[in-house]
Amino acid sequence: MSSTHTAAPVRGKKPSVVPGTVLLWVLVAVYAFPLLWFILSSFKPGSELFSLPLSILPETWTVSGYEAAWSRFNFARYFANTGIVAVVTTALTVLVSSMTGYALAKYKAWWLNVFFMCILATTMLPTEVIMPSTFVVIRDLGLYDSLPGIIIPSIVTATGVFMFRQYFRTVPDELLEAARIDGVGEIRTFFSIMLPLAKPMAVTLAIFSFQWRWNDYIWPLLVLNDPNQYTLQIALRSIVGADNIDWSVLLAASVISLLPMIILFLIFQRQIMSADMNSGLKD
Amino acid sequence: MTASTAEPVEQAAPAPRPPRRRRPAIRRGQTLAPLIFIAAAVVLFALFFVWPGVFGFIYSLSNYRGFGTPEIIGFDNYTRLFGDPEFYSALARTFLFVGLSVPLHYVIPLGLAVLLTTRLARGQTVARAVFFFPWLISPIVNGVIWRWLFGENFGFFNYFLSIFGIGPVQWQTNGELALVVVLIAGTWGGTAFTMLLFIAALRNIPQSYLEAAAIDGAMGWKRFRTITLPLLAPTTFLVVLLTTIGGMKEFAMIQALNGGGPGTENVLMVQYIYRTGFERGDIGYASAASMVLMGILIVIALIQMRFDRKDVQ
């Protein structure tokens, strides 16, 4: 793709890069400011948060908000709960999506087409729309107030299935036929040949799935009741929902909740920034 | 961050399809195997989509309150719903929100994507990371960030405006302004995703098209309008579809930003369903509202599909 960018002959004089660069960096400042202001505020002592005139940088740097947030809330527990949900759901999402996508791409049967149409329908109709009855289903299955109650309903995402379906369509059928001629079973062909081939897709979907689950709100809100089971977002919401918001705690707690995603971003930035977004990535 | 064009993209680009050949006769494994591959997805789909869908409809005809046996009461919930001013207000707000946020979610990310792919700007790698950053932030924290910035007595914006002798502006207590804040926060949080879609699409436009246009004397805005924009049509369709659906189900960010306030002025549909179903325990009534929202989404999807087909022709 980068090849389409090289060596474009531009006729006449070279246009200036100044206006474009200035515009770009003004927008960068606009986009960076909210988060920057938020993070800097989290290092201000409570007295300085509301004292006028406001200053961008804290006059006295402090981590007291962080200490208060960390001691008042069981962050270790929230991190563990959210981590379990995000990792387990992601692993299952990648597995189920790759198998389903593969079947839809490489086999032909009327019932596969029917199921594909069903999956298509789920993208148009988000489950938020039927949440009262989905809640009843989760409760009747005995999943209420448990982490599996958040994990299991989130495994199948149409996006994941699409991504793998698109990907496996580009894998030549000859590969599959060669495996068949060699007498390799269908299931083994998938796990030992096809799935390893699809690793780039698997990584992309894993990153997206992890972000969705780390930041998920609506299902944990409905399903979880016991504060020991709370995920980060639900715990944060309990601070936001308080009658009198303790901003210094809330700011710090919010920043703490961002850290894992930031670390993930730094590790996977190349994959994330270049993910094949044409597959319609959105949960 | 250097040269971050993507291996995955390159590999995922469709390979030239091999010449079609006749498939060998179906063997046993070729019926059984796909069945095994899709089994888990089928079960989960049935459990968490078909079952709630069917029961949602049944509940919507009942007075179910979450316990006991639901008693069928016919279309009473729907009659009640259509006489409920709160429902109309939530519906109207949702349409207004979607109507305003879809153009914002289109124009701003597209503009950023163009700036990030043009040769006429510098520092794009760093800039892209900055624009991308809000993607990492959960809707709850997104709501908190903007609530902090737009606080009426303590927020940065009112302080900033007060320097020029303006304000204090009622970002929280005026319903329209509160909606503006929601739109800003939503656009900020949603930019990265749409922007990456546009960047990928812009990279896929063959350079030769743009060069041909340049030789014909079309540059700048004209070239963008006559060449680039039409070639982006499939992405445009996707973006409009996704942001419409995303807007219709907006929930978490508003919960943290202003809880649908002031009062119930900015309660959108999903919040309305949540409140009636879970805070008031009226599952039957909330299910009726769900069914209406579902109907609306189906209509929107069908309309957009029609437009998509026209685009192709």
Side-chain angles (χ1 to χ4, degrees):
Chain A
M1 245 134 263
S2 43
S3 60
T4 56
H5 256 281
T6 49
V10 179
R11 294 184 319 145
K13 69 177 161 71
K14 230 180 159 175
S16 160
V17 298
V18 174
T21 309
V22 170
L23 181 60
L24 183 68
W25 283 88
V26 167
L27 289 166
V28 164
V30 168
Y31 265 79
F33 181 76
L35 186 61
L36 218 56
W37 174 251
F38 192 70
I39 292 175
L40 288 172
S41 300
S42 74
F43 288 105
K44 288 178 180 173
S47 57
E48 209 182 301
L49 275 179
F50 305 103
S51 69
L52 298 172
L54 294 174
S55 58
I56 301 274
L57 289 175
E59 276 160 37
T60 22
W61 289 76
T62 172
V63 291
S64 63
Y66 288 87
E67 281 164 5
W70 192 266
S71 62
R72 201 177 313 169
F73 296 95
N74 195 348
F75 270 105
R77 169 75 63 151
Y78 305 146
F79 272 123
N81 288 341
T82 319
I84 291 168
V85 169
V87 170
V88 173
T89 315
T90 296
L92 291 172
T93 297
V94 170
L95 182 69
V96 171
S97 304
S98 59
M99 294 200 310
T100 312
Y102 177 72
L104 294 176
K106 287 293 177 220
Y107 295 92
K108 286 202 165 57
W110 64 269
W111 42 270
L112 284 171
N113 292 333
V114 171
F115 188 58
F116 183 60
M117 296 310 286
C118 291
I119 292 284
L120 260 176
T122 64
T123 50
M124 304 291 183
L125 295 175
T127 41
E128 279 86 343
V129 168
I130 44 172
M131 64 185 173
S133 43
T134 311
F135 171 77
V136 174
V137 169
I138 289 171
R139 194 194 59 194
D140 290 353
L141 290 172
L143 296 171
Y144 179 67
D145 205 10
S146 71
L147 296 184
I150 320 173
I151 294 171
I152 298 173
S154 319
I155 293 172
V156 175
T157 78
T159 301
V161 175
F162 284 144
M163 283 170 62
F164 278 103
R165 179 176 171 271
Q166 293 305 104
Y167 189 82
F168 283 122
R169 282 166 73 109
T170 67
V171 175
D173 283 347
E174 278 83 352
L175 203 59
L176 180 58
E177 275 154 30
R180 279 178 187 154
I181 290 162
D182 289 345
V184 183
E186 301 286 312
I187 311 267
R188 232 190 88 197
T189 307
F190 172 72
F191 280 103
S192 55
I193 301 172
M194 296 298 179
L195 194 54
L197 264 180
K199 204 178 145 203
M201 269 292 114
V203 172
T204 306
L205 179 61
I207 291 166
F208 275 86
S209 170
F210 191 90
Q211 188 262 10
W212 295 332
R213 296 316 148 214
W214 189 268
N215 293 335
D216 230 354
Y217 178 68
I218 197 160
W219 290 118
L221 178 70
L222 295 182
V223 172
L224 301 178
N225 185 37
D226 173 10
N228 277 324
Q229 306 273 7
Y230 274 7
T231 58
L232 270 172
Q233 308 305 329
I234 304 303
L236 280 178
R237 170 61 194 162
S238 69
I239 318 179
V240 190
D243 287 333
N244 229 330
I245 296 179
D246 186 340
W247 275 102
S248 76
V249 170
L250 179 56
L251 293 168
S254 305
V255 175
I256 293 173
S257 83
L258 292 176
L259 290 178
M261 285 309 299
I262 293 173
I263 293 167
L264 196 76
F265 174 74
L266 294 177
I267 297 172
F268 289 107
Q269 48 170 326
R270 288 190 67 158
Q271 280 91 335
I272 295 174
M273 301 296 286
S274 60
D276 182 6
M277 305 289 294
N278 277 329
S279 338
L281 278 178
K282 188 145 186 178
D283 182 13
Chain B
M1 291 307 323
T2 49
S4 49
T5 0
E7 286 84 16
V9 180
E10 233 113 19
Q11 285 171 23
R17 282 190 76 76
R20 273 189 98 78
R21 55 176 58 209
R22 263 159 59 112
R23 294 176 158 266
I26 306 264
R27 276 171 293 175
R28 229 187 55 135
Q30 288 172 40
T31 320
L32 191 62
L35 208 57
I36 293 169
F37 286 137
I38 69 166
V42 170
V43 170
L44 291 167
F45 174 76
L47 274 184
F48 298 109
F49 203 79
V50 179
W51 187 7
V54 171
F55 272 72
F57 180 66
I58 295 172
Y59 290 146
S60 76
L61 303 174
S62 79
N63 61 0
Y64 194 45
R65 300 194 66 83
F67 47 84
T69 327
E71 188 193 325
I72 300 297
I73 52 168
F75 287 91
D76 284 8
N77 284 327
Y78 291 92
T79 346
R80 218 177 107 203
L81 202 59
F82 289 118
D84 182 353
E86 264 187 62
F87 169 73
Y88 282 112
S89 136
L91 199 59
R93 270 297 182 195
T94 310
F95 278 124
L96 182 62
F97 174 70
V98 171
L100 294 173
S101 70
V102 170
L104 286 174
H105 273 278
Y106 181 78
V107 172
I108 293 173
L110 177 57
L112 295 181
V114 169
L115 271 174
L116 289 175
T117 49
T118 178
R119 275 181 304 276
L120 300 178
R122 292 283 174 267
Q124 286 153 325
T125 317
V126 178
R128 190 165 53 157
V130 171
F131 293 138
F132 182 79
F133 225 75
W135 183 78
L136 302 172
I137 295 169
S138 75
I140 292 292
V141 177
N142 183 355
V144 173
I145 289 176
W146 290 92
R147 188 178 183 158
W148 175 240
L149 279 162
F150 279 105
E152 285 181 8
N153 303 318
F154 55 82
F156 176 85
F157 279 99
N158 271 359
Y159 170 69
F160 184 73
L161 292 172
S162 73
I163 296 173
F164 303 98
I166 307 170
V169 180
Q170 299 182 311
W171 302 111
Q172 303 281 335
T173 42
N174 177 317
E176 316 303 324
L177 290 175
L179 187 69
V180 169
V181 177
V182 172
L183 284 166
I184 294 173
T187 308
W188 185 74
T191 294
F193 176 81
T194 316
M195 181 188 81
L196 288 196
L197 276 175
F198 279 126
I199 289 176
L202 287 169
R203 287 229 172 94
N204 279 329
I205 294 176
Q207 197 66 32
S208 56
Y209 284 27
L210 300 177
E211 280 161 25
I215 290 162
D216 289 345
M219 284 303 284
W221 171 246
K222 193 179 168 207
R223 189 174 77 169
F224 180 79
R225 199 170 50 81
T226 55
I227 308 289
T228 311
L229 218 44
L231 288 171
L232 289 179
T235 312
T236 297
F237 171 70
L238 191 65
V239 166
V240 171
L241 184 72
L242 290 177
T243 49
T244 307
I245 294 170
M248 296 295 291
K249 65 175 194 179
E250 185 62 68
F251 178 66
M253 183 194 75
I254 296 181
Q255 284 274 100
L257 187 55
N258 56 25
T264 55
E265 250 186 275
N266 284 309
V267 165
L268 302 187
M269 275 305 283
V270 174
Q271 248 179 321
Y272 178 80
I273 294 170
Y274 175 77
R275 286 186 174 194
T276 49
F278 299 97
E279 284 174 8
R280 297 187 209 145
D282 205 344
I283 299 265
Y285 191 56
S287 295
S290 296
M291 290 299 128
V292 173
L293 180 56
M294 199 167 183
I296 293 169
L297 277 174
I298 292 173
V299 171
I300 291 175
L302 292 176
I303 294 171
Q304 292 190 328
M305 302 275 251
R306 272 194 79 87
F307 272 104
D308 190 37
R309 212 157 293 149
K310 257 189 218 154
D311 270 349
V312 174
Q313 282 166 0

